[in-house]
Amino acid sequence: MALSDSFLWGGALAANQAEGAWREGGRGPAVSDIARYRPNVDPREYAIHHAHTVESITAAMADDDETYYPKRRGIDFYHRYPEDLALFAEMGFTVLRVSIAWTRLYPTGEETEPNEEGIAFYEGLFTEMRRLGIEPLVTLSHYDPPLALALKNNCWVDRGTIALFERFARTCFERFGHLVKLWLSFNEIDGIVRHPLTSGGIIEETVEGSILQACYTALHHQFVASASVTRMLREMWPESQMGCMLTMLKTYPLTCHPDDIAATQAKDRLLYLCTDVQAGGAYPRLALNALARQGVEIPFAEGDAELLREHPVDFISLSYYMTLAESVDPDAERTPGNTVLGVKNPYLESSEWGWQIDPVGLRISLIDLYDRYGKPLFIVENGLGMRDELTADGRIHDPYRIDYFRAHFREMIRAVDEGVELMGYTSWAPIDIISASSSQISKRYGFIHVDLDDLGQGSGERRRKDSFWWYQRVIATNGADLG
């Protein structure tokens, strides 16, 4: 079975990692602006390095430095997007996933009217994408809550943030709805438990009581907000679609010992919690029981359950980079990856950053998700972060990246052959950008090289890697020629 003629091929990036221009065009500060690059940290030990105290956040914002706060400069997509979009169009993209920085439209999150300079930027971006035949797939919230809301009330822990987000989303639908038909509410919504500040604007130091309770309170408010803006989109643009997004971290039992299998089952239950709510319309009882045993109570307000039930998403999107293993053995070897630490699978290779490479796991994940929900799926992140070497003649030979994608595409197509309904695929990221976890650019994902180092030194020149031409051929043949 071949991929459908309507299958969308492209790439994905985020405003906070690509745009830069953090103090231009009326933009306000976001939590991403305090993400610091730490050159002396071992790559295998990276987490999302944010300042987590009010004092350190205040100090970071008093510092105009862009060298060690690289998300402030990104790759200057804000000014160079016409050049970058032209390269994406040359590769044959039919879709590009981007995000809208909330603080470009509402600098503190609390303004009553949007910032027109921010509106103009995104209108220009989406118009140019349309001109080039590239479908915008737009994420409303991608790891950049307004810093002002984080400092004021821990952002999503406060139920009042729902109304502020609704205002932001309504503005997006009103001003960009004629250009954008595919939307995602929250990027990797499940990540709030792993990195509360990045996803939810939660400053742990200021949380009253349990941080776990605060995270699930914030997550519930995001669920409610997602259902609310899904209803809003359907009322305003009935032909448009809203999706949710899951960090697909499939876990295998390390052994066939029943205890390892039971531990894996418990992990999976919480893995699927977010899609159970957003796609299935309700919290699963066993997941609620598991959370209750940890002292977590979901703060339902009147009407929440009905809203979640009546306005599930239209499709499920996912990021997929790796799988993990699980074992009850406390001495089992652990490995990092995608902001988590899990048991190392002895059958898989790992990148320099410890992320285990598992193409077959993509097929397993797609089949599991489609079996469970029966909704269309969209792979919106998948890729390999590696150090690239520039040759003397200015070329980048990256066969390792081509091998990675080839293996994952084969498994993706096998899942479609088995009957999975797959809308499209966007690689992370089609052009080198600042890493979400390590704030590096030397951890490169792109088909397009950006001449900058981890300290922001370089020309910013864009160069096509060997993988650029390979992906161009893959798209032109709709996956039939994987080379």
Side-chain angles (χ1 to χ4, degrees), residues 302-439:
E302 185 177 354
D304 284 1
E306 293 77 12
L307 184 66
L308 296 175
R309 183 178 65 249
E310 294 170 7
H311 298 285
V313 294
D314 301 300
F315 64 97
I316 298 169
S317 74
L318 62 144
S319 62
Y320 178 85
Y321 296 98
M322 56 176 291
T323 55
L324 295 167
E326 183 60 287
S327 174
V328 296
D329 180 0
D331 297 323
E333 184 180 359
R334 261 67 179 176
T335 187
N338 203 9
T339 71
V340 297
L341 184 69
V343 175
K344 187 173 183 179
N345 187 328
Y347 297 100
L348 300 176
E349 296 181 355
S350 300
S351 76
E352 177 185 345
W353 283 264
W355 298 31
Q356 296 205 278
I357 300 169
D358 182 10
V360 175
L362 176 58
R363 170 163 51 100
I364 294 168
S365 298
L366 292 172
I367 290 170
D368 277 357
L369 282 169
Y370 195 68
D371 245 356
R372 189 179 184 102
Y373 302 108
K375 285 183 178 283
L377 305 181
F378 206 132
I379 302 168
V380 296
E381 286 187 30
N382 172 237
L384 178 66
M386 294 286 283
R387 298 184 192 273
D388 292 328
E389 296 295 330
L390 197 64
T391 62
D393 60 353
R395 302 281 300 278
I396 300 100
H397 304 300
D398 55 344
Y400 40 85
R401 187 167 288 110
I402 293 171
D403 290 344
Y404 176 95
F405 282 115
R406 180 189 292 117
H408 282 77
F409 290 167
R410 284 175 176 160
E411 298 300 332
M412 176 182 80
I413 292 169
R414 287 177 181 173
V416 173
D417 285 344
E418 293 201 32
V420 170
E421 185 179 356
L422 192 60
M423 298 168 64
Y425 174 96
T426 58
S427 73
W428 186 269
I431 185 170
D432 295 342
I433 58 175
I434 307 302
S435 168
S437 58
S438 65
S439 292

Side-chain angles (χ1 to χ4, degrees), residues 78 81 104-105 115-127 175-176:
Y78 183 82
Y81 76 80
R104 281 210 188 278
L105 270 56
N115 167 36
E116 289 297 331
E117 287 184 87
I119 295 286
F121 168 72
Y122 289 110
E123 188 170 42
L125 172 64
F126 302 145
T127 298
R175 305 299 288 271
F176 313 130

Side-chain angles (χ1 to χ4, degrees), residues 27-52:
R27 179 187 178 279
V31 299
S32 52
D33 296 323
I34 58 172
R36 186 175 175 86
Y37 167 54
R38 300 175 188 270
N40 297 321
V41 175
D42 187 295
R44 293 166 297 179
E45 297 178 5
Y46 271 120
I48 295 187
H49 294 296
H50 277 181
H52 288 286

Side-chain angles (χ1 to χ4, degrees), residues 99-120:
S99 65
I100 295 174
W102 187 349
T103 57
R104 281 210 188 278
L105 270 56
Y106 292 89
T108 69
E110 293 190 288
E111 292 80 4
T112 57
E113 297 295 331
N115 167 36
E116 289 297 331
E117 287 184 87
I119 295 286

Side-chain angles (χ1 to χ4, degrees), residues 173-185:
F173 300 156
E174 287 176 346
R175 305 299 288 271
F176 313 130
H178 62 298
L179 297 168
V180 180
K181 304 304 176 187
L182 297 174
W183 298 86
L184 300 176
S185 51

